[in-house]
Amino acid sequence: MSATLLESTDTQRHELQAAFRAFGTVSEQLSGAFDALRDQVAQLRAELSDANAGKEHLAARLSALVQGLPGGVVVLDADGIVIEINPAAVQLLGEPLLLRPFITVLEQAAVTTGASPEHTELRSGKYVNISRRELGSGGEVVLLTDVTEAHLMRVFLTRQQRLLTLGELAAGLAHQIRTPLATALLYASQMALPDRSLADLRRCAEKTVGSLKQLDRLVNDMLAFAHGGAARELVSVSALLEQVAQWLRPALRKGVRLTIRTQAPNLTVRANAPSLVSAVLNLATNALQAARADLDLELLARRSGGRAQIIVSDNGPGIPAQVRERIFEPFFTTRTHGNGIGLSIVKSVIEAHHGSVRLADSGAFGTGGATFVIDLPAEETA
Ligand code: ADP
């Protein structure tokens, strides 16, 4: 072998050794990096599994909470389809629930829908309060609370209250009946006396009939009171005001201007129409009786949130501050020929419709006279 060849083999060996050393160093570095990476992955995996365990724990707790809630929980997707329920919801609404439109579920489970979400009557005989909240995802969560006991208690109390009022009315009624009855008896007995002229007889008959009519009015008022809560139907509020106007127009004297205004033409209430008509008529008649000559009388129907309001306002003399508190009391009257039953009947009829009636603050409607506000639950129509 020549010297040159030996030299070149030596150089190659050195280069190879250097390459192996470099390779060894890089391999060691790589293996170190790989170990560090593996440790990091293991740590991340441990952290992730901790986080997952936390989330699962939270989800399990939430689900147990929803399942155990005494109220019904129904989750709807963006199209109003039921996608989640809890056992209380099944108990209240019945099955099937899942994957059905909530509106259909409610139509089948409830006796009436939309009337008053605070006490919807279900076919099962239960009453529920329905509250709905939008979810960020576009869906909705519906919470159904069983308010049957509270509802029954309210019905019971209203009945008790009516009985109590009826008792007071009966006591006062005896007084009211006595005067016209005594007058009728007196004139009727005078008619039986001998040698009465025809004119005398006619006068006695007129007086007798007048007193009997007074008694008849009393009986009718009492009947209206007693029937305040009878059968209900869907009634359009504007049609109702039209009926009031029909009754009222023949009684309007010269100088009285009657205006009927309806701000919500589709407004409906569930009501005993004749009772409600006579309640509004009562308020309007009071306005006619209170005013001497000119009078602007307005009947207004409007929606206020989920409520229907009928506002009867006049620009008559108004109601003095010292009697405002007393006008709804049975037999309270400031009129010579009044019996003081009118407003207590209005109150009783409206309360039997789950509504309220109040005298608005004087000047609230800018008429200067008296303004009564009837407030009733509005019924949704399709
Ligand atoms: P009555 O009409 O027989 O007096 P109500 O119970 O209907 O009985 O009314 C009670 C009282 O309320 C009336 O006597 C009157 O003082 C007062 N009142 C009611 N409505 C009006 C009104 N629109 N304007 C002035 N006073 C009124």
Side-chain angles (χ1 to χ4, degrees):
M1 194 180 294
S2 75
T4 329
L5 195 62
L6 269 174
E7 234 170 67
S8 102
T9 323
D10 235 16
T11 316
Q12 276 176 347
R13 196 172 344 121
H14 282 306
E15 278 176 358
L16 261 175
Q17 278 171 348
F20 275 130
R21 266 199 308 275
F23 180 73
T25 318
V26 172
S27 298
E28 265 169 37
Q29 279 172 354
L30 266 176
S31 127
F34 176 74
D35 284 349
L37 206 67
R38 198 184 47 205
D39 289 349
Q40 241 175 12
V41 168
Q43 192 186 335
L44 279 175
R45 206 175 262 154
E47 280 174 16
L48 200 65
S49 115
D50 275 357
N52 276 345
K55 268 192 193 160
E56 274 166 23
H57 180 64
L58 197 69
R61 272 191 61 192
L62 267 178
S63 153
L65 216 82
V66 171
Q67 297 297 310
L69 266 182
V73 177
V74 179
V75 181
L76 312 181
D77 68 6
D79 300 322
I81 305 292
V82 177
I83 50 171
E84 261 180 78
I85 46 172
N86 73 345
V90 176
Q91 221 172 27
L92 289 169
L93 299 173
E95 286 189 292
L97 281 180
L98 279 174
L99 302 180
R100 299 183 67 210
F102 183 61
I103 191 156
T104 317
V105 168
L106 207 58
E107 269 168 13
Q108 283 172 5
V111 177
T112 54
T113 51
S116 53
E118 64 267 22
H119 51 85
T120 300
E121 187 182 355
L122 299 180
R123 290 189 204 282
S124 61
K126 286 195 175 287
Y127 286 82
V128 285
N129 175 309
I130 302 178
S131 47
R132 310 171 73 131
R133 276 284 147 76
E134 275 179 23
L135 293 173
S137 55
E140 232 182 316
V141 59
V142 184
L143 184 66
L144 303 135
T145 317
D146 187 342
V147 290
T148 312
E149 288 208 359
H151 178 83
L152 293 180
M153 184 58 86
R154 196 164 66 176
V155 171
F156 174 74
L157 284 180
T158 312
R159 253 226 331 266
Q160 289 296 96
Q161 187 59 45
R162 282 169 63 74
L163 283 176
L164 207 74
T165 316
L166 201 63
E168 284 171 20
L169 276 180
L173 200 64
H175 280 286
Q176 299 289 328
I177 288 177
R178 203 155 49 189
T179 317
L181 190 62
T183 316
L185 279 173
L186 177 76
Y187 284 106
S189 58
Q190 282 188 5
M191 278 195 278
L193 294 177
D195 304 327
R196 305 303 308 246
S197 70
L198 201 61
D200 262 359
L201 282 176
R202 183 166 292 137
R203 194 175 60 86
C204 287
E206 274 167 9
K207 293 278 185 194
T208 310
V209 169
S211 301
L212 291 178
K213 273 189 178 159
Q214 216 173 324
L215 285 174
D216 188 48
R217 261 202 308 278
L218 268 175
V219 170
N220 284 337
D221 283 353
M222 291 307 291
L223 281 178
F225 180 87
H227 289 157
R232 301 288 158 76
E233 57 194 332
L234 269 187
V235 185
S236 137
V237 179
S238 54
L240 197 123
L241 290 195
E242 211 27 69
Q243 276 186 49
V244 174
Q246 271 174 25
W247 282 100
L248 210 54
R249 277 192 190 106
L252 296 184
R253 55 178 187 270
K254 224 169 139 241
V256 177
R257 286 165 300 277
L258 172 68
T259 317
I260 311 280
R261 274 205 301 144
T262 313
Q263 283 179 355
N266 298 326
L267 197 57
T268 49
V269 288
R270 191 160 286 279
N272 178 292
S275 297
L276 213 50
V277 166
S278 80
V280 180
L281 199 57
N282 223 314
L283 296 180
T285 311
N286 273 350
L288 292 180
Q289 286 167 343
R292 288 218 170 79
D294 271 12
L295 180 74
D296 283 326
L297 174 59
E298 181 179 90
L299 308 183
L300 165 69
R302 71 176 185 190
R303 183 189 287 277
S304 171
R307 317 285 293 177
Q309 288 190 334
I310 299 172
I311 297 163
V312 181
S313 53
D314 66 66
N315 66 348
I319 299 175
Q322 64 273 22
V323 302
R324 291 176 68 90
E325 294 284 304
R326 302 198 53 204
I327 53 169
F328 287 102
E329 281 175 22
F331 303 110
F332 175 82
T333 181
T334 56
R335 293 194 302 115
T336 325
H337 297 292
N339 60 24
I341 298 180
L343 286 181
S344 56
I345 289 174
V346 172
K347 188 164 179 281
S348 144
V349 167
I350 300 302
E351 283 176 357
H353 284 80
H354 307 297
S356 65
V357 55
R358 65 185 169 87
L359 176 64
D361 290 342
S362 54
F365 286 76
T367 54
T371 298
F372 287 88
V373 180
I374 294 178
D375 188 274
L376 295 163
E379 182 85 10
E380 293 304 330
T381 45

